[in-house]
Amino acid sequence: MAIGDKAKHTAEDVAGHMKEAAGKATDNEKLEAEGRTDQVKADFKKAGDDVKDAFDK
């Protein structure tokens, strides 16, 4: 798997954490939920990368 893809997915995860934290800080439940959703999406992408890596070997 390309290192760029892994970095992109990690950046998406970090952005999700930041969005969630901003939602908590401002009492914005919608923003907080969006942050958690972004994190889950990034986690699925990372898992897909891991599966691809396993089959490339």
Side-chain angles (χ1 to χ4, degrees), residues 35-55:
R36 284 193 300 269
T37 301
D38 291 349
Q39 292 172 51
V40 170
K41 287 180 184 178
D43 288 342
F44 276 119
K45 289 177 183 178
K46 288 178 188 178
D49 291 343
D50 292 342
V51 170
K52 288 178 186 177
D53 286 345
F55 283 105

